[in-house]
Every structure is written in C-alpha cells, then in structure tokens.
Amino acid sequence: MAEYWSTLDVDLHLAVDPASGRRVGLEHALREAIRDGRLGAGTRLPSTRTLAVELGLARGTVSAAYDQLVAEGHLVAVRGSGTHVAELAGQGVPSGLRAAPRSSDSLESLDALGAPSALGLPSTSGLPSAWVGEQARSRPKPLGNNLLPGSPDLSHFPRAAWLRASRRAVNQAPNDAFGYGDPRGRVELRRALAEYLGRARGVLADPERIVVVSGAVQGLALLGQVLGGVVAMEDPYIPLFHEVVRSHGAEVVPLPVDDDGARVDLLAGPDFDQVGTVVVTPSHQYPIGSTLHPARRQALVEWACEGRRLVVEDDYDGEFRYDRQPVGAVQGMAPERVVYLGTASKTLGPGIRLAWMVLPEPLVGPVTEVKRHADHQSESLGQLTLAEFIASHDYDRHVRAARLRYRRRRDLLAERLHTRAGRPAAGFALGGIAAGLHALVRLEPAGMTEVEVLKRASEFDLELEGLGGLWHTAPANALASSAARPQGIVVGFGSPTEAAYPRALDALVRTLSWR
C-alpha cells in the first residue's frame, strides 16, 4: 500500500494501492475517501495537473480516474469551477458527521477493555505533582541558545489569522457558548476536527466520539482513570506521561523501541500478558524518531483486536513529514480499538491548551464523566476560534508553511553536522529526521559520552536534552538494561526563532566537534 499526500488549499491523505493498476488504485482511494466521509459533499478536488504531480502519476491517469467517478455520480465537473464531490455522494452525510464503522468485534462495553464498568474513580480536581513537574522544574537561568525539544517556533504563531478567526467566531457564537457546556467540547470544534482529521490524517472520526482536552497530559490522565489495569508505554518516552498514567490508577510497564518503532512483538510475551492498553507514537516515535514499520502496525492492530485490548495513538507531530509520504493514523485501521490523541501544541503552540481524543464508542461516556469531574469543560472561546481557523483552511495554510520552514531547518541541521562535525571520527550519527521537530544525535561508544556532551553544551551557552533522562525507571531486563541503552542527544530544531537558529547550530557544532 503506497501512502500519498495531496494538497490543493488543504491536506488530503490518500492510500493508493498500485497492485490493481494506478488508475484503478486512484479511483478506489478517492471512492473510499468519499464514502467514509473524509471527502465531504461539495469539497473541491485538486486539478488533474496538481494531483498528478503530487502522486507521481501521469495526468491522463488522473483525468481518467476523475472521469470514471463523474460517470458514477461521485464527482461533478463544471468548466471553470473545477471538480467537486457530488452533493449526494456518500448518501448525503456531511464530512465529519459519519460514524466510524463498527468492526465485527467492536467493543460493546468497558468490560471488553478490561476496564472497570463502574466509575468508582478518584477525582482529578487536584492536579498531581507530575502534571506540573517538568514545567515547574527550576533552571538557574535559561541559556542563550535553545535547542530543547517539545515546542515549535512560537514567533511564527499566526497572530493575524488567529485574531481574524477569533473575531468571526465571537461574532457568530450563540449565547450558550458563554455558559456551561458539553464536557466533550464545543460541537463546532468537534465537527471541524472530524473533517480535518479524516481528510489529513486518515482518522475515522464522528464528532460524537471526540472529547476536547487541555493537552495530551489531561487526555492520558482521563484514560488512566477510566482504564486502569496495566498499561505498556514506549521506552524511552516522556517521563511525565509515565507519571501521569501511573498517578491516575494504572500500572505502567516499559515497551522497548528500536529503529522500526515499538517492539510490538514483545506484547505477546510473558512480560506483557497482563497488559490491556498500549500507548505508542507510530508516526514519529519520541525521542528515537523512528516510524512504526507497516508489519508492526498490522501486528499491533491484530494484538488489540484478538485480545479485546486498546491502543492509544499519540500523534503529536503527524503533520510534519519531510522525506517520505505521510503515514496515516493507525486509528483508521481499527477505530473501535484505537484511541487517537492529537494536539495543537506542535502546529500552533502549547499555550493554546487544546488537544483532542477520538474514542471508541464504549469509552465516550466514561471519559466524558471523568472530564466533567476534572474541570467540567475546556474553555469555549479558544475552541470556537480553532474551529473557525480550521474551517477557513487557515490552519491548513499555516501547517503547510510551517512544514516547509521546519524542513529547511532540518536540512540545515543535517548539512552543518555533516560538513562541520560529522566526520567518521566525530563519534556520532544523526537520526530520526524524516519527520517532526526534533532529531536524535546518537553518540557512538568511541566518542564523547552523553554527560560530556551536555557539559560542553553548557560551556557554549546551549540547552540540549539528553536521552538518558527519558528512559523508564522500571527494573532492568535484557532489552532495557542500562548497559544496552544507547546514549544520545535530542535536538529540538523547531524551538528557536529564525534569527536565533543559526547561532544555536553554531553552538551545537562546536559542542559535538571531536577534540
């Protein structure tokens, strides 16, 4: 299955299978995107020339596919207006309002997930110390050059477009937007997200199954409360996330990762026989940077379906892919077995405090209830603004511009390290750079240690994050022992401003230059 990314004014995820021929494969991909609601009625498609370039196909192949779908009634072509999805396509269900299809073994209750059916759960009204642990961690003084991961370049926040969207949203908002509302979030945002996620990430989303949260941390906290039991989480990963899940009632066990992503094969072993939920980052593992291999994606879905288990897909930076076609969400393969967790933190900024979960149907009620107990609801005005920002396609335009900007930064990082410090004697290798806003500098045994690199970085007024602080602290085993753990530095090339980035790269090159 070949994954392709198509754009007009918006992103569109298509999966074209060339096995049956390119034209037939494109016809099938477009037909399925219309039927499952990812391409809604009235949506304008790219020109045949544009789509041919995007997919690497002959223009005649695209024209023939369009003609076939016009003949079938799925598309309407009007001279001078382009090609649109027919109003009656997909039985008239607007994009984003179609319910995700239920699989033959779809979850019928929380008991099928191994979760408590009753909500005798602790309140989340008080924030655990882990919630604010990393943010509250004091630093003597911020260093002058910042290459810490976890944030985009905040100077590129789309202030003007956001302000326009906010004004439109407030002017159009119903009176009840300023009162108490649905704990799941404003329906305007849930509808906009359902359309966008289906179109851009291949997520099968129904607005009724989306819960808006304040960030990935709150999403994991709510799931930890509802699911409980034993949760496998990637190792290495973000320690704060481990702490949040653990502090909200679940036992956490580490799942090793390698260059092909999470070691899904280990889930069938005795160390994981009690695991009912696994949290993974399939599109771009944090911090290793690997993408979950297609065979492992399939094995992960089979593990969840066969054992009536749950996968939590943390898709924190899935919009940013550079060297290969974007990978669709795992959720699209098994919407009744996968919780999709997305966020605006990397595309817009963490200060927006908006993220979202697309849930299997049996989890919607319990998660909504614990959300009500946690904070009743996320604030409304930001949700309405983001909904308008997405609906106007300003979000798509912002993401595309950011993708080009971060790709240039990634390329400059690779070039500088290769030409200035990346000689064989330098003792490191750059990896995880096909996507996202961070890269991993792997330190070779013959080179400097992680501690030495961090010490040298401080001498050059440079802030970096070491890989050592991201490992799980559970008892060591053969695969995750201290001796087997590689050393490395996580470089966040998205964080600095445009003006500060070259200076930060200079400091990084000097830090890694072999003595």
Side-chain angles (χ1 to χ4, degrees), residues 143 417 426-428 441-444 447-467 487-491 507-515:
L143 299 180
L417 292 186
F428 71 86
V441 177
R442 298 174 183 260
L443 302 176
E444 304 298 338
M448 287 183 286
T449 67
E450 192 174 303
V451 172
E452 289 175 327
V453 170
L454 293 176
K455 182 176 183 297
R456 282 174 58 84
S458 65
E459 295 171 359
F460 292 110
D461 203 26
L462 174 64
E463 286 192 279
L464 296 171
E465 178 157 40
L467 190 59
Q487 296 196 44
I489 301 297
V490 187
V491 177
L508 178 64
V509 169
R510 292 196 298 270
T511 296
L512 295 174
S513 293
W514 186 251
R515 293 170 295 178

Side-chain angles (χ1 to χ4, degrees), residues 46 63 129 325 347 404 476:
S63 296
S129 60
Q325 301 296 342
T347 53
L404 292 173

Side-chain angles (χ1 to χ4, degrees), residues 166-186:
S166 179
R167 286 173 173 164
R168 292 193 300 268
V170 171
N171 286 335
Q172 299 168 8
N175 291 336
D176 64 12
F178 306 101
Y180 295 112
D182 192 329
R184 293 175 300 173
R186 292 295 307 180

Side-chain angles (χ1 to χ4, degrees), residues 366-382:
V367 169
T368 301
E369 188 64 18
V370 295
K371 178 72 162 68
R372 186 194 310 274
H373 292 168
D375 60 5
H376 194 280
Q377 67 186 78
S378 299
E379 64 88 22
S380 296
L381 295 185

Side-chain angles (χ1 to χ4, degrees), residues 145-507:
N145 299 301
N146 177 18
L147 287 176
L148 290 172
S151 176
D153 180 353
L154 302 179
S155 71
H156 281 286
F157 182 82
R159 298 170 189 257
W162 185 263
L163 181 59
R164 290 193 299 270
S166 179
R167 286 173 173 164
R168 292 193 300 268
V170 171
N171 286 335
Q172 299 168 8
N175 291 336
D176 64 12
F178 306 101
Y180 295 112
D182 192 329
R184 293 175 300 173
R186 292 295 307 180
V187 67
E188 296 91 341
L189 178 57
R190 290 187 281 119
R191 286 172 177 165
L193 286 171
E195 188 276 334
Y196 172 78
L197 294 173
R199 166 172 53 78
R201 299 296 299 126
V203 174
L204 296 176
D206 180 343
E208 297 301 307
R209 297 191 186 189
I210 294 177
V211 174
V212 178
V213 292
S214 64
V217 167
Q218 187 182 42
L220 290 173
L222 299 180
L223 290 173
Q225 275 197 278
V226 170
L227 298 172
V230 182
V231 178
M233 302 183 75
E234 293 175 331
D235 186 28
Y237 192 39
I238 301 173
L240 173 63
F241 288 4
H242 287 174
E243 296 167 9
V244 166
V245 172
R246 187 184 300 111
S247 68
H248 284 80
E251 177 187 349
V252 176
V253 296
L255 178 64
V257 301
D258 59 22
D259 289 338
D260 286 327
R263 289 287 308 275
V264 176
D265 58 303
L266 298 177
L267 293 174
D271 291 340
F272 298 88
D273 57 358
Q274 299 300 312
V275 170
T277 304
V278 60
V279 181
V280 292
T281 51
S283 295
H284 188 226
Q285 201 279 329
Y286 186 87
I288 299 299
S290 52
T291 298
L292 191 63
H293 190 278
R296 293 189 182 182
R297 289 164 62 92
Q298 185 62 41
L300 179 63
V301 169
E302 292 174 357
W303 171 84
C305 292
E306 292 172 1
R308 304 182 71 78
R309 305 179 184 98
L310 188 73
V311 175
V312 179
E313 178 177 13
D314 179 3
D315 194 35
Y316 66 101
D317 66 358
E319 287 90 347
F320 298 120
R321 197 142 199 92
Y322 312 122
D323 292 335
R324 63 184 71 172
Q325 301 296 342
V327 178
V330 172
Q331 190 269 0
M333 301 172 65
E336 297 295 343
R337 293 291 169 183
V338 180
V339 172
Y340 178 87
L341 178 58
T343 178
S345 293
K346 302 301 182 291
T347 53
L348 292 171
I352 295 296
R353 304 315 303 146
L354 285 174
W356 42 86
M357 294 189 291
V358 183
L359 300 166
E361 186 175 19
L363 285 179
V364 175
V367 169
T368 301
E369 188 64 18
V370 295
K371 178 72 162 68
R372 186 194 310 274
H373 292 168
D375 60 5
H376 194 280
Q377 67 186 78
S378 299
E379 64 88 22
S380 296
L381 295 185
Q383 294 185 59
L384 291 171
T385 300
L386 181 57
E388 175 63 26
F389 200 63
I390 294 172
S392 67
H393 299 318
D394 279 339
Y395 187 74
D396 288 272
R397 286 184 279 272
H398 170 74
V399 168
R400 285 203 310 278
R403 190 183 298 141
L404 292 173
R405 180 168 59 253
Y406 293 132
R407 177 171 186 162
R408 289 194 293 267
R409 291 193 185 193
R410 188 284 311 262
D411 291 345
L412 184 58
L413 169 66
E415 177 186 353
R416 290 295 307 279
L417 292 186
H418 176 73
T419 59
R420 294 284 296 278
R423 296 180 297 276
F428 71 86
L430 188 63
I433 60 174
L437 305 181
H438 76 273
L440 178 66
V441 177
R442 298 174 183 260
L443 302 176
E444 304 298 338
M448 287 183 286
T449 67
E450 192 174 303
V451 172
E452 289 175 327
V453 170
L454 293 176
K455 182 176 183 297
R456 282 174 58 84
S458 65
E459 295 171 359
F460 292 110
D461 203 26
L462 174 64
E463 286 192 279
L464 296 171
E465 178 157 40
L467 190 59
L470 301 175
W471 295 99
H472 196 279
T473 56
N477 56 47
L479 284 168
S481 67
S482 298
R485 291 174 175 175
Q487 296 196 44
I489 301 297
V490 187
V491 177
F493 56 83
S495 301
T497 64
E498 295 290 343
Y501 187 56
R503 184 175 66 250
L505 279 187
D506 287 339

